[in-house]
Amino acid sequence: MPNREKGSPRASPPHTPPPGTGDEGDGTGTAAAAAAEMGTYRCCIFFTRRFALEDASTPDDVRALFSRFAAGAPYMGADDLRRYLAASGAPGGGKDAEQIVDRVLQDRSRTPRFGRPALTIDDFRHLLFSEELNPPIQHPQVHHDMNAPLSHYFIYTGHNSYLTGNQLSSDCSDLPIIKALQLGVRVIELDIWPNSSKDDIDVLHGRTLTAPVSLIKCLRSIKEYAFVASPYPVIITLEDHLTFDLQAKVAKMVLEVFGGMLYYPESKHLQEFPSPEALKGRVILSTKPPKEYLESKGGTMKERGVEPQFRKRESEEAAWGIEVPDIQEEMQVAEKNGDDLLYGEKSAENGDENKTCKHKAPEYKHLITIKAGKPKGAIVDALNSDRDKVRRLSLSEQELAKVAASHGPSIVRFTHRNLLRIYPKGTRFDSSNYNPFLGWVHGAQMVAFNMQGYGRALWLMHGFYKANGGCGYVKKPDFLMQTCPDGKVFDPKADLPVKATLKVKVYMGDGWQKDFEQTHFDTYSPPDFYTKVGIAGVPSDSVMMKTKAVEDNWVPVWEEEFVFPLTVPEIAVLRVEVHEQDVSDDDFGGQTALPVMELRPGIRAVPLFDHKGLKFRNVKLLMGFEFV
């Protein structure tokens, strides 16, 4: 196989399809001529090779469905389609069948035969490939109970939300904050420091080369975009490195920007967190007291003449990124590293709240709804709940793995009432991420991710929060909130029985010829696609499998089925990746992740996304889902 030369994907929005990509009609005339051109590739200097572009084969299961509901006829009328839609669980039970038939024929530039609108088998396949008419998610709207306390939900959480790139030298900006809110992220983290003249507040990653952005700009952008994707509360976590007078300035600034949107209770400590429903349209502050009084230690690395030892290009140099690590292995490695994090004097949040209160402006403290706990000693001691108040505790991914290895049930018990935030370890300078399931399986509500990065871990995060209408709050499963009569709670390390089995069938894919240049994958021939499909979740459920590679075809048909026994389907995510087979590294053909419990049974259109998480304009898979 010759060496490959890469092009670049076509720009998606706005997209004007070139002649012959299939957007003009039913494959005749100009489209057919352009299709022949699409199958011609240069070979050496003076020669070309032509590949026959056959019509896409319709999978057998699709033909069987069509024949069944069309009663063996070559056309499916509106009444036939209505019966199919009702049987497949379509919203409204197929009441809009006539409009759907008209829509499909219009999309395909077809006119009704004999004056009666009806679908051919190719029209029916087109309908199944429509994400709008045949989505893979069965609940496009909020459907979880939103009246429980905040501690009962997984919350879409960002880390260092203001960074545009790596953790050491990228610019700080409000643009990543806006993007995160548009995605539905509900927790925004801001590190606040005195500016260079010590009279105002900057947002930056302290003591690095990151260029600051003003706090007021970030707050105004949060107000403007807080509820464009979800009506449920936005939590601002403040990493506070301010002096007394600047804390008072923050209080004034926050009140002026948010006004009545800002929620803060009258009581000094909450005994239970409010519900997402009660906090609709509100903004909440959460912070912990600063670790030290920072007048003598402020400034960035650049101001103090310190250069970071790390230098690396942005992580987009590798589209796939590393595989998501196994959480069982992470706990085993952490367990071997000694007990200093568990029982030593160092902990995730040092100090005592009473000692640091004297450094906080009273107005500022009053506005903090979700207060961070301040354990003096060991992390395991910090997991003891206080009946009189609720709080937030933060652990790094390493600290979580260490505690989870021997005190998993204690973490779960803590998260029944309190909030647990997990953040990336400090050595992730490239803004990479970790396996979020270690936090989720222990009930951690705020699994904080670098949203400005790329890679498989972040794809899982985006996929997980497609649940519950994409509102950024996903109700935790009951087993993570229950205490047995004997006082025991869920043990993430226990052997669990299979609770459900998911069958996934990968039928075919289409759309690459519209979104990519002809020679993007291979200069000399059409692409060789294969699909990897699997589950991300607890270790016993996590697996990846793959189809065969279909050579030299822009519209590959696989028709392969995979079976996944699941012990914890409530938090499992279906992983899908399309690879273009190469002699060295596979080329990127698209990816997506979908919450297992939200999958619509039946044959569905599954849109794919690029490595940055942006949806392709046309690339989709046709997949089947069945729970047995």
Side-chain angles (χ1 to χ4, degrees):
M1 185 179 290
N3 292 330
R4 309 215 168 184
E5 298 176 11
K6 304 295 179 271
S8 59
R10 292 193 182 115
S12 291
H15 175 65
T16 302
T21 58
D23 284 6
E24 304 80 23
D26 58 0
T28 60
T30 304
E37 179 183 349
M38 199 70 179
T40 301
Y41 289 77
R42 182 173 298 279
C43 181
C44 301
I45 300 176
F46 304 104
F47 303 97
T48 60
R49 294 196 298 173
R50 178 167 295 176
F51 292 83
L53 295 185
E54 301 177 356
D55 289 338
S57 173
T58 300
D60 291 340
D61 288 358
V62 175
R63 292 184 179 277
L65 271 179
F66 182 85
S67 178
R68 173 186 168 192
F69 286 94
Y75 300 103
M76 178 183 283
D79 290 339
D80 302 325
L81 179 61
R82 184 178 294 107
R83 289 190 297 110
Y84 165 74
L85 293 173
S88 66
K95 295 179 180 178
D96 300 328
E98 289 88 352
Q99 291 91 327
I100 292 175
V101 171
D102 291 341
R103 168 75 178 275
V104 171
L105 295 178
Q106 182 180 1
D107 287 348
R108 290 175 55 76
S109 300
R110 296 266 318 279
T111 56
R113 295 175 182 263
F114 312 114
R116 294 190 63 185
L119 304 179
T120 66
I121 181 66
D122 289 340
D123 297 329
F124 185 61
R125 187 184 66 197
H126 178 87
L127 165 62
L128 293 181
F129 254 114
S130 169
E131 180 198 2
E132 181 182 353
L133 301 176
N134 190 36
I137 297 293
Q138 61 180 327
H139 297 293
Q141 66 285 328
V142 174
H143 60 97
H144 293 178
D145 175 16
M146 303 302 286
N147 291 293
L150 289 178
S151 56
H152 290 223
Y153 300 84
F154 298 119
I155 310 173
Y156 208 175
T157 302
H159 173 255
N160 289 350
S161 305
Y162 50 87
L163 288 178
T164 57
N166 69 61
Q167 301 286 307
L168 296 182
S169 59
S170 66
D171 289 337
C172 302
S173 171
D174 64 328
L175 295 180
I177 298 171
I178 294 171
K179 179 181 176 182
L181 292 170
Q182 290 173 330
L183 283 172
V185 173
R186 298 290 85 191
V187 182
I188 300 295
E189 183 186 31
L190 304 177
D191 288 12
I192 49 178
W193 294 77
N195 67 354
S196 56
S197 59
K198 311 297 183 184
D199 60 354
D200 208 346
I201 303 100
D202 279 340
V203 173
L204 75 155
H205 200 196
R207 298 188 288 275
T208 69
L209 296 177
T210 55
V213 60
S214 68
L215 174 62
I216 188 65
K217 186 175 184 179
C218 294
L219 295 179
R220 287 170 176 166
S221 292
I222 291 173
K223 179 182 180 181
E224 182 176 356
Y225 292 91
F227 306 109
V228 295
S230 170
Y232 292 100
V234 168
I235 301 170
I236 303 175
T237 59
L238 298 174
E239 183 85 17
D240 180 1
H241 303 274
L242 300 178
T243 56
F244 177 90
D245 57 329
L246 289 180
Q247 288 174 357
K249 190 166 186 174
V250 170
K252 182 178 179 181
M253 192 182 296
V254 166
L255 286 171
E256 288 178 351
V257 171
F258 295 112
M261 293 171 60
L262 188 68
Y263 172 84
Y264 51 95
E266 294 298 325
S267 59
K268 183 178 180 181
H269 294 289
L270 290 173
Q271 292 184 320
E272 184 178 71
F273 290 115
S275 70
E277 188 67 30
L279 294 171
K280 265 187 174 180
R282 307 299 289 272
V283 173
I284 304 169
L285 295 188
S286 177
T287 188
K288 56 186 178 182
K291 293 181 179 180
E292 63 270 318
Y293 197 61
L294 291 167
E295 278 190 328
S296 61
K297 200 178 178 181
T300 67
M301 294 176 70
K302 184 182 295 186
E303 290 169 350
R304 294 182 287 114
V306 179
E307 290 291 325
Q309 298 177 356
F310 175 80
R311 287 290 183 270
K312 185 175 180 178
R313 291 189 301 170
E314 296 295 332
S315 57
E316 64 184 355
E317 61 190 16
W320 294 108
I322 63 172
E323 186 52 86
V324 180
D326 181 81
I327 62 177
Q328 197 68 42
E329 293 179 1
E330 288 186 292
M331 286 192 289
Q332 291 172 354
V333 170
E335 203 167 17
K336 293 178 181 178
N337 291 336
D339 294 330
D340 54 314
L341 290 177
L342 289 177
Y343 304 111
E345 287 302 315
K346 182 180 178 181
S347 69
E349 298 182 357
N350 299 310
D352 182 272
E353 186 175 352
N354 293 329
K355 292 182 180 179
T356 52
C357 282
K358 60 185 180 182
H359 297 311
K360 299 180 73 68
E363 302 88 348
Y364 177 66
K365 181 183 177 183
H366 182 64
L367 299 180
I368 299 168
T369 296
I370 303 176
K371 297 178 172 62
K374 303 300 294 184
K376 292 182 180 180
I379 292 177
V380 289
D381 295 334
L383 297 173
N384 294 324
S385 294
D386 189 328
R387 293 185 179 181
D388 296 327
K389 59 184 178 182
V390 290
R391 56 193 173 91
R392 189 202 87 201
L393 178 68
S394 293
L395 299 177
S396 71
E397 58 175 290
Q398 295 166 307
E399 291 168 333
L400 173 65
K402 167 65 70 175
V403 183
S406 53
H407 294 80
S410 296
I411 303 173
V412 174
R413 184 176 289 106
F414 176 82
T415 60
H416 283 183
R417 297 182 62 244
N418 302 282
L419 297 179
L420 179 60
R421 177 178 175 272
I422 310 302
Y423 58 91
K425 60 186 178 183
T427 55
R428 293 190 179 276
F429 304 123
D430 59 350
S431 293
S432 62
N433 289 298
Y434 50 99
N435 188 334
F437 286 93
L438 183 57
W440 289 334
V441 78
H442 287 88
Q445 298 88 349
M446 297 180 176
V447 177
F449 261 37
N450 292 304
M451 297 294 171
Q452 76 277 23
Y454 312 119
R456 288 180 167 105
L458 189 56
W459 302 342
L460 290 180
M461 176 67 66
H462 293 329
F464 185 86
Y465 283 103
K466 289 175 183 174
N468 199 26
C471 74
Y473 286 83
V474 174
K475 188 80 159 52
K476 293 200 291 186
D478 290 341
F479 66 81
L480 283 174
M481 300 304 303
Q482 294 171 342
T483 302
C484 298
D486 59 2
K488 292 184 178 180
V489 298
F490 175 72
D491 185 355
K493 295 178 71 174
D495 291 331
L496 302 171
V498 172
K499 187 179 292 186
T501 299
L502 172 66
K503 287 186 177 180
V504 177
K505 194 161 187 177
V506 185
Y507 288 104
M508 61 185 297
D510 198 3
W512 289 278
Q513 70 274 32
K514 299 178 183 179
D515 289 344
F516 291 84
E517 298 292 344
Q518 178 181 338
T519 56
H520 174 82
F521 296 105
D522 194 338
T523 304
Y524 305 102
S525 66
D528 309 326
F529 289 124
Y530 70 90
T531 295
K532 295 180 71 174
V533 59
I535 298 293
V538 298
S540 58
D541 294 348
S542 299
V543 64
M544 286 295 281
M545 305 178 187
K546 67 179 182 179
T547 68
K548 62 181 179 295
V550 176
E551 296 184 354
D552 300 331
N553 203 319
W554 282 98
V555 188
V557 177
W558 296 285
E559 292 195 81
E560 295 188 42
E561 186 175 82
F562 304 92
V563 179
F564 302 105
L566 302 174
T567 62
V568 189
E570 294 90 343
I571 62 171
V573 172
L574 178 71
R575 298 177 57 188
V576 180
E577 298 177 359
V578 175
H579 296 238
E580 200 279 326
Q581 187 169 265
D582 206 342
V583 292
S584 53
D585 294 330
D586 288 345
D587 298 327
F588 181 89
Q591 60 81 22
T592 192
L594 299 168
V596 164
M597 297 302 289
E598 299 265 343
L599 294 174
R600 292 179 70 207
I603 301 175
R604 306 300 174 194
V606 178
L608 297 185
F609 298 74
D610 67 13
H611 72 284
K612 295 182 179 181
L614 301 175
K615 185 188 293 185
F616 287 121
R617 184 76 174 269
N618 298 285
V619 178
K620 300 183 186 73
L621 297 181
L622 197 63
M623 302 181 69
F625 308 117
E626 180 184 3
F627 289 94
V628 296

